[in-house]
Amino acid sequence: MTTGFSNRQPFQLIISLQNKGYVTLFYLDKEEELRKLREETNAEMLRQELEKERQRRLELEQKVNEVLKARMEEVPAAQQPAKPQTQANGTGNLDKRSHTICSRLQKWFCDKFGEYVEDFRFQPEENTVETEEPLSARRLTENMRRLKRGAKPVTNFVKNLSALSDWYSIYTSAIAFIIYMNAVWHGWAIPMFLFLAILRLSLNYLIARGWRIQWSIVPEVSEPMEPPKEDLTVSEKFQLVLDVAQKAQNLFGKMADILEKIKNLFMWVQPEITQKLYITLWAAFIASCFLPYRIIGLAMGLYAGIKFFLIDFIFKRCPRLRAKYDTPYIIWTSLPTDPQLKERSNATVSRRLQTAASRSYVGSSAPTGISKDEDTSRFHTTKRGNFHEVFNLSENERPLAVCENGWRCCLINRDRKMPTDYIRNGVLYVTENYLCFESSKSGSSKRNKVIKLTDITDIQKYKVLSVLPGSGMGIAVSTPSTQKPLVFGAMVHRDEAFETIFNQYVKITSASSSSES
């Protein structure tokens, strides 16, 4: 009955039997039976197709086996007549192999060339910012100890070479001198040094492997080492930090001196010294153009050996001979550094000022006329009024052009014990005859300080706190009226102020001495 219905019959039954409760159940049962029938028919079809595929695979396998058996039977019969063909095919195989080898080489070359091209590709440089560690006393001491340990082999080697040059061990120095001169004479100096380097590396390898070898090419000069203390007090730690800072300061100073001397040597700061180097370079250039390198190397090697073993030994024992005839030593010691050049320039400027002051002193007593009156009519004013009124000076006393606005500083009067009088903030001025300090605190003019330049007994640069790095930011002025020098500290332009005060002081003292004479 299910097959006899059309597509419109189930819906007509459902419409006609809507009032009955079994209509929906009847319809769902029929749909379930139809679905099962469809699934069974699909499964049967799939099984049939699988059987067909299996049969086809078996037939193909049988055919392949038959073909292989036929070929295996034909191979032994065809081996004898096929020999000349194999010889003919050998050349073809060789051509194929050579072709494959060439293609492989070409492919390898192209790959390598591509890699090199990729390596030479320009890329933007990455700006890496190194993070700086914060200042730490412990880290500073540790870095200094690391530096000392790292530089110890180099310093020991230099000390041992100096001991070899000083004939610390006579037999060792004599043997080294004979071997070196013989090697230079026969042209074996470079192989000798290379052999010594290889020997040193071999000994270091054996020492690293656990061998106990205590042998050196040059005599060892060791210094007693103090064991580091573990438990340190606060004062000892502070003193250790100061020692480390002092060593670093001295090391940087020595390095700066060496670099400045080399720079001044090539910049013709001392023409008579650089002229010797200039002539030596020209002589070496001409000799290298005309003489063979064997003779030049022999001459240089013999000179180096004689100077290292004999001349330096004599010069170290006789300082007067060294000061007269040791040309490299004389040139190096006479080369100035930048601070020395600055001191020399200041000395020449002060001498010129003294001579100019002595010459102009005769004309200074003459009347100046109208221009003088016009010049004195222009008063310099400070924050509290006219300059000469603030400091109770004559009207012709005005600050110099260099310090027209003054230098900010603090006056430290170490003779006073009260905090309010011990340190005062203010501005420092220099006139032709006076050193004036104006206090920034409001009040009477008693807080200001006026020092006559001729009353100054000593003036020098001063460092208020010796713990801080650098040369300080203060100027110490000594007068007969004070037990301890007055200190003008915390000056940003300390060097400029010191030069101005010192030059004016020299000018006034030279003028006063010439007037008295």
Side-chain angles (χ1 to χ4, degrees):
M1 293 175 70
T2 56
T3 57
F5 290 131
S6 63
N7 293 331
R8 299 175 64 182
Q9 287 175 353
F11 295 103
Q12 290 175 0
L13 287 173
I14 293 168
I15 293 168
S16 62
L17 299 175
Q18 284 181 355
N19 296 324
K20 295 182 180 180
Y22 58 87
V23 173
T24 56
L25 294 174
F26 175 77
Y27 178 74
L28 292 174
D29 290 338
K30 295 298 180 179
E31 289 292 331
E32 187 68 22
E33 290 177 0
L34 287 172
R35 186 177 61 79
K36 288 181 180 180
L37 287 172
R38 289 172 184 172
E39 289 179 357
E40 288 177 358
T41 53
N42 290 332
E44 290 295 331
M45 292 173 64
L46 290 173
R47 287 174 186 175
Q48 293 175 1
E49 290 179 358
L50 286 173
E51 289 295 333
K52 290 179 181 180
E53 292 294 333
R54 286 176 185 175
Q55 291 177 0
R56 289 177 185 175
R57 185 173 61 80
L58 291 173
E59 291 176 357
L60 289 172
E61 288 180 356
Q62 290 177 359
K63 290 180 180 180
V64 170
N65 291 329
E66 291 176 358
V67 171
L68 290 175
K69 287 179 181 180
R71 289 184 179 180
M72 291 296 292
E73 291 176 355
E74 292 177 357
V75 167
Q79 282 181 355
Q80 293 180 357
K83 286 183 180 179
Q85 292 179 0
T86 54
Q87 292 179 358
N89 293 328
T91 57
N93 293 330
L94 290 173
D95 294 335
K96 289 181 180 179
R97 290 179 181 176
S98 62
H99 180 69
T100 54
I101 291 170
C102 292
S103 63
R104 288 178 182 177
L105 288 174
Q106 186 177 2
K107 185 179 179 182
W108 177 81
F109 179 75
C110 291
D111 293 339
K112 289 294 181 182
F113 183 74
E115 290 179 2
Y116 288 128
V117 169
E118 289 292 331
D119 293 337
F120 278 99
R121 179 179 291 179
F122 290 99
Q123 295 179 355
E125 186 178 359
E126 295 181 358
N127 295 324
T128 57
V129 179
E130 296 182 357
T131 58
E132 296 183 356
E133 296 182 358
L135 182 61
S136 173
R138 183 178 180 182
R139 190 66 176 172
L140 180 61
T141 54
E142 183 181 355
N143 290 338
M144 287 300 296
R145 287 173 181 173
R146 287 174 55 197
L147 178 63
K148 190 174 182 180
R149 287 195 300 267
K152 187 176 180 181
V154 179
T155 55
N156 288 341
F157 182 73
V158 173
K159 288 179 182 179
N160 295 336
L161 284 180
S162 63
L164 192 65
S165 175
D166 294 338
W167 295 74
Y168 182 80
S169 176
I170 298 175
Y171 299 105
T172 306
S173 298
I175 293 169
F177 177 69
I178 294 169
I179 293 173
Y180 174 79
M181 297 301 288
N182 190 16
V184 171
W185 182 260
H186 292 285
W188 300 338
I190 295 176
M192 182 188 68
F193 286 120
L194 293 175
F195 174 74
L196 291 177
I198 293 169
L199 181 61
R200 184 71 261 178
L201 286 175
S202 302
L203 292 175
N204 291 338
Y205 173 75
L206 295 176
I207 292 170
R209 299 292 293 177
W211 291 50
R212 293 184 179 180
I213 301 173
Q214 294 182 356
W215 180 77
S216 178
I217 301 170
V218 294
E220 293 186 358
V221 180
S222 60
E223 295 181 355
M225 296 293 293
E226 296 181 359
K229 298 180 181 180
E230 296 182 356
D231 297 332
L232 298 176
T233 60
V234 177
S235 60
E236 289 177 349
K237 290 180 180 179
F238 185 72
Q239 185 64 33
L240 181 63
V241 173
L242 291 180
D243 294 339
V244 170
Q246 185 179 6
K247 289 179 181 179
Q249 176 185 348
N250 296 333
L251 178 63
F252 293 154
K254 290 179 181 179
M255 293 172 64
D257 291 341
I258 293 171
L259 295 176
E260 288 174 357
K261 284 188 175 184
I262 294 172
K263 183 212 35 166
N264 294 331
L265 175 63
F266 286 94
M267 293 302 294
W268 294 83
V269 176
Q270 293 287 337
E272 62 277 2
I273 296 175
T274 311
Q275 186 178 3
K276 296 179 181 178
L277 176 65
Y278 190 71
I279 295 170
T280 304
L281 291 175
W282 270 110
F285 172 73
I286 294 170
S288 65
C289 291
F290 294 100
L291 296 177
Y293 287 100
R294 184 183 180 91
I295 297 175
I296 296 173
L298 178 63
M300 292 176 64
L302 292 176
Y303 172 75
I306 294 170
K307 180 171 176 55
F308 181 77
F309 286 99
L310 300 177
I311 297 175
D312 287 344
F313 176 75
I314 295 171
F315 282 157
K316 288 179 182 178
R317 296 295 183 275
C318 304
R320 293 183 179 179
L321 288 176
R322 187 174 191 177
K324 289 182 179 180
Y325 301 106
D326 193 359
T327 305
Y329 174 78
I330 294 170
I331 290 174
W332 184 255
T333 52
S334 58
L335 279 172
T337 59
D338 290 348
Q340 291 175 353
L341 289 174
K342 192 173 182 180
E343 290 178 1
R344 291 179 185 179
S345 63
N346 291 334
T348 54
V349 169
S350 62
R351 290 175 184 174
R352 290 176 183 176
L353 288 174
Q354 288 179 2
T355 54
S358 61
R359 289 177 183 176
S360 62
Y361 177 73
V362 179
S364 63
S365 59
T368 56
I370 300 171
S371 62
K372 182 76 175 179
D373 295 335
E374 291 177 354
D375 191 24
T376 55
S377 62
R378 293 191 299 268
F379 299 126
H380 180 80
T381 59
T382 62
K383 294 181 179 180
R384 300 183 184 177
N386 293 331
F387 184 83
H388 67 281
E389 294 177 355
V390 172
F391 296 102
N392 295 325
L393 299 174
S394 59
E395 295 180 356
N396 58 356
E397 290 291 339
R398 300 186 315 278
L400 300 178
V402 180
C403 61
E404 189 173 0
N405 296 323
W407 298 293
R408 299 289 302 178
C409 64
C410 62
L411 174 60
I412 302 174
N413 191 353
R414 293 183 291 177
D415 292 339
R416 303 292 179 88
K417 295 182 179 180
M418 294 296 294
T420 55
D421 296 334
Y422 184 78
I423 299 177
R424 300 177 188 172
N425 295 320
V427 183
L428 182 65
Y429 299 95
V430 181
T431 66
E432 293 183 358
N433 299 303
Y434 294 95
L435 186 66
C436 305
F437 175 79
E438 182 183 6
S439 179
S440 60
K441 292 184 179 180
S442 60
S444 62
S445 60
K446 293 181 179 180
R447 294 182 179 273
N448 300 334
K449 192 73 176 178
V450 179
I451 303 172
K452 197 173 183 180
L453 293 177
T454 54
D455 294 339
I456 296 175
T457 57
D458 186 22
I459 179 173
Q460 59 183 351
K461 296 179 181 180
Y462 187 77
K463 187 176 182 180
V464 180
L465 297 176
S466 59
V467 179
L468 298 177
S471 60
M473 299 174 64
I475 298 174
V477 177
S478 300
T479 58
S481 61
T482 57
Q483 297 179 357
K484 296 180 181 179
L486 296 172
V487 178
F488 298 95
M491 299 182 69
V492 178
H493 304 284
R494 193 275 305 272
D495 295 335
E496 179 185 359
F498 178 79
E499 292 179 2
T500 305
I501 297 170
F502 182 76
N503 293 333
Q504 188 66 22
Y505 168 74
V506 171
K507 180 180 178 181
I508 293 300
T509 52
S510 62
S512 61
S513 61
S514 62
S515 64
E516 289 177 357
S517 61

